[in-house]
Amino acid sequence: MSKKYFKPMSFSITEENYIKAIFHLQQEEGTVSTNDLASVLSTRAASVTDMLKKLKTKKLLSYEKYKGVRLTSEGKKLALAIVRKHRLWEYFLVNKLQFGWDEVHEVAEELEHITSRKLVEKLDAFLGFPRFDPHGDPIPDSHGKMLVQQQINLIDLPVNKTAEVCAVGSQSTELLELLRHKNIGIGTKLEIKKKFSFDHSIEIRVRNQPAFTISQQLAQALFVKTV
Amino acid sequence: MSKKYFKPMSFSITEENYIKAIFHLQQEEGTVSTNDLASVLSTRAASVTDMLKKLKTKKLLSYEKYKGVRLTSEGKKLALAIVRKHRLWEYFLVNKLQFGWDEVHEVAEELEHITSRKLVEKLDAFLGFPRFDPHGDPIPDSHGKMLVQQQINLIDLPVNKTAEVCAVGSQSTELLELLRHKNIGIGTKLEIKKKFSFDHSIEIRVRNQPAFTISQQLAQALFVKTV
DNA sequence: TAATAAATTTAGATTTGTCTAAAAAATATT
DNA sequence: AATATTTTTTAGACAAATCTAAATTTATTA
Ligand SMILES: [Mn+2]
Ligand SMILES: [Mn+2]
Ligand SMILES: [Mn+2]
Ligand SMILES: [Mn+2]
């Protein structure tokens, strides 16, 4: 009886970047548009159309002209494998190599395409099987499963309820620079002392330090879990 | 007064692989032939010619039709940076992730193309600034300098003189498999008990274990330094 | 519903890296 | 020196990924 051998299909870095981008976009809207993809990948709609046709023949996504695109389960599997690598490497860079959490994204963007399966598993073990990356995003395990943290937007946290920052809503240098300056990071415990309805700014207190005010925009970029 | 900004030219993975291959080949013969390059890069002579023309315009090498090729100092600098990354990653894989020394070459072949300067320097520090990779090859420092170990071929070691294995002459799986079976690695201390002129095999003794014989081919693939 | 605007796809080029087959140059052999 | 062999280069083509400009489809608005 002969076992069937699946040739472990491999994909170009470009193809992987498309798959990952579709994966992230379809978290929000179920189906992803050509223009949105072109925008996040910094390319042109025409190029996206070409690539979608190709990825369709590789059975990574379902696509009909003018109807947008969704990943197949094969495509999701690939996306999760890339996300897993991306976040494991970010964890490595911050926790082993002492990178700042705002410096790791670009590097991980390259490292996520290293193909060795064994490398990923050994790296995971070396890091102690972390479940969240330095930005608070969950790291898929080797089967593609990831924990969903029940997190709420800081703006929705009730006054005087202690909570812990567990994720950020963006990874822009600008946001991370601001957080560094205010000394807020993943794991920071805080509570809201007052909400101002005029500009929706909020006054928060971290540990036993004096309270200070943060803007609506900043509060919306922070996710917390109550503790 | 305006400082001159050098755009940090960047090169494709293919270009980097060419530069590294030329670097290694020109260690032996001063100038490198089109055919030799085609052979080590598993490509065709015609492709090599095309690439040499391109790399010449990028000033990484000097090349005249039919005359072979040499790296410029720019080219050497790039080659050393790639070799540095390759060997640092190999060290990481073996000493931090518990890879076998015969499993790391392929993975390092990919990792050596990750571009972040900061990553290399932080990795180097994390590893404790190692000077030799798991195969005994020297790791260039951040300025491209590397230690030259005064090493001799095992076949030339005098009888009864204790020496330490410090490098292997090839990284073929076959060789590394044999070494693993015989329990010989970088750092193994041994001495020659007898040389047989019939087939140039030699009898060696490792530590206090019983002596055993190794072939001429194996002896020639091992480099030692006397201790 | 008809006209207009926006999103998407096609057509046709371009760049990079590769290939085969044929021509040209350098070496080796008689 | 003439011939044969090997090495290297050129010529022409191809696949991947991209682009601009034009055509087409879908969505919006009057
Ligand atoms: Mn990427
Ligand atoms: Mn992250
Ligand atoms: Mn390589
Ligand atoms: Mn090595």
Side-chain angles (χ1 to χ4, degrees):
Chain A
M1 180 139 60
S2 82
K3 203 171 174 188
K4 268 188 194 166
Y5 289 110
F6 297 94
K7 47 181 170 295
M9 226 236 283
S10 84
F11 303 96
S12 73
I13 291 177
T14 308
E15 288 170 332
E16 291 194 349
N17 283 334
Y18 269 87
I19 293 298
K20 196 180 62 154
I22 296 166
F23 177 81
H24 287 311
L25 285 172
Q26 82 177 17
Q27 304 284 67
E28 275 135 48
E29 309 159 74
T31 156
V32 178
S33 77
T34 303
N35 262 355
D36 285 357
L37 264 175
S39 160
V40 308
L41 291 171
S42 306
T43 185
R44 298 302 184 146
S47 309
V48 172
T49 301
D50 288 345
M51 183 58 88
L52 293 183
K53 285 192 218 155
K54 186 168 46 140
L55 294 176
K56 182 182 178 167
T57 73
K58 298 197 177 186
K59 301 200 191 300
L60 292 174
L61 45 81
S62 58
Y63 163 67
E64 301 299 331
K65 273 196 195 186
Y66 296 103
K67 296 290 181 62
V69 69
R70 315 171 80 99
L71 296 182
T72 61
S73 63
E74 268 303 285
K76 262 178 228 144
K77 216 177 106 189
L78 176 57
L80 282 163
I82 302 165
V83 168
R84 170 168 161 79
K85 286 188 276 182
H86 185 104
R87 293 178 180 167
L88 281 174
W89 281 116
E90 282 189 344
Y91 189 98
F92 169 74
L93 295 173
V94 168
N95 295 88
K96 297 289 181 178
L97 297 197
Q98 317 295 340
F99 271 74
W101 70 335
D102 54 337
E103 307 171 306
V104 297
H105 189 75
E106 308 311 314
V107 186
E109 206 56 47
E110 289 184 54
L111 285 164
E112 71 190 359
H113 304 290
I114 304 290
T115 51
S116 166
R117 183 76 184 241
K118 190 164 198 172
L119 173 57
V120 188
E121 302 315 321
K122 289 205 174 243
L123 179 64
D124 197 13
F126 176 64
L127 299 176
F129 304 102
R131 293 201 206 60
F132 298 96
D133 85 358
H135 310 102
D137 295 311
I139 301 174
D141 70 16
S142 56
H143 308 296
K145 303 276 175 225
M146 50 184 172
L147 295 184
V148 275
Q149 217 167 201
Q150 65 322 8
Q151 61 188 31
I152 61 169
N153 202 273
L154 176 54
I155 210 104
D156 302 320
L157 181 69
V159 171
N160 281 326
K161 193 152 190 186
T162 301
E164 180 181 324
V165 176
C166 64
V168 291
S170 126
Q171 280 153 230
S172 66
T173 315
E174 292 82 0
L175 170 59
L176 298 175
E177 178 198 2
L178 177 56
L179 288 175
R180 169 165 297 182
H181 180 257
K182 296 215 182 281
N183 214 21
I184 299 173
I186 305 293
T188 299
K189 289 188 182 57
L190 51 76
E191 53 191 328
I192 295 184
K193 302 311 294 181
K194 202 157 175 30
K195 300 185 181 188
F196 299 98
S197 52
F198 171 68
D199 59 359
H200 301 97
S201 64
I202 61 179
E203 190 179 66
I204 65 174
R205 212 164 62 125
V206 176
R207 293 288 173 101
N208 302 316
Q209 296 168 316
F212 58 95
T213 301
I214 66 175
S215 67
Q216 178 189 23
Q217 293 95 314
L218 179 52
Q220 282 173 335
L222 291 176
F223 295 86
V224 298
K225 61 180 188 206
T226 55
V227 286
Chain B
M1 180 132 64
S2 80
K3 204 171 173 188
K4 269 187 195 168
Y5 287 109
F6 295 95
K7 46 180 170 295
M9 237 251 261
S10 86
F11 303 96
S12 73
I13 291 177
T14 308
E15 289 170 331
E16 291 195 348
N17 283 335
Y18 269 87
I19 292 298
K20 196 179 65 155
I22 296 166
F23 177 81
H24 287 310
L25 285 173
Q26 81 177 15
Q27 304 283 68
E28 276 136 46
E29 310 160 73
T31 157
V32 177
S33 76
T34 304
N35 261 357
D36 285 357
L37 264 174
S39 161
V40 308
L41 291 171
S42 306
T43 185
R44 297 303 183 145
S47 309
V48 173
T49 301
D50 288 345
M51 183 57 89
L52 293 183
K53 284 191 216 156
K54 184 167 50 141
L55 293 176
K56 181 181 179 169
T57 74
K58 298 198 177 185
K59 301 203 190 299
L60 292 175
L61 46 81
S62 58
Y63 163 66
E64 299 300 330
K65 272 193 192 188
Y66 295 104
K67 294 292 183 59
V69 69
R70 318 171 79 99
L71 296 181
T72 61
S73 62
E74 268 303 283
K76 261 176 229 146
K77 216 177 106 190
L78 175 58
L80 282 162
I82 302 165
V83 168
R84 170 169 162 78
K85 285 188 277 183
H86 184 103
R87 292 178 181 168
L88 280 175
W89 280 117
E90 282 190 344
Y91 189 97
F92 169 74
L93 295 172
V94 168
N95 295 89
K96 297 289 180 178
L97 298 196
Q98 317 296 340
F99 272 74
W101 72 334
D102 55 336
E103 306 172 307
V104 297
H105 189 76
E106 309 310 314
V107 186
E109 206 57 45
E110 289 184 53
L111 285 165
E112 71 190 358
H113 303 289
I114 304 290
T115 51
S116 166
R117 183 74 183 242
K118 190 165 197 169
L119 173 58
V120 189
E121 302 315 320
K122 290 206 175 243
L123 179 64
D124 197 13
F126 177 63
L127 299 176
F129 305 102
R131 294 200 204 62
F132 298 95
D133 85 359
H135 309 103
D137 294 312
I139 302 175
D141 69 17
S142 57
H143 308 296
K145 302 276 175 227
M146 52 185 170
L147 294 184
V148 275
Q149 215 167 203
Q150 63 321 7
Q151 61 188 33
I152 60 170
N153 202 274
L154 176 54
I155 209 105
D156 300 321
L157 181 70
V159 170
N160 281 326
K161 194 153 192 187
T162 302
E164 181 180 323
V165 177
C166 61
V168 292
S170 125
Q171 281 154 231
S172 66
T173 315
E174 293 82 1
L175 170 59
L176 297 175
E177 179 199 2
L178 177 56
L179 288 175
R180 169 166 298 182
H181 181 256
K182 295 214 182 286
N183 214 21
I184 298 173
I186 304 293
T188 299
K189 288 187 183 57
L190 52 75
E191 54 191 327
I192 296 184
K193 302 311 294 180
K194 202 155 173 34
K195 300 186 180 187
F196 298 100
S197 52
F198 171 68
D199 60 359
H200 301 98
S201 65
I202 60 180
E203 190 179 65
I204 65 175
R205 212 165 63 126
V206 176
R207 292 287 172 101
N208 302 317
Q209 297 168 313
F212 58 94
T213 299
I214 67 175
S215 68
Q216 178 189 22
Q217 294 96 312
L218 179 52
Q220 281 172 334
L222 291 175
F223 294 86
V224 299
K225 62 181 187 205
T226 55
V227 285

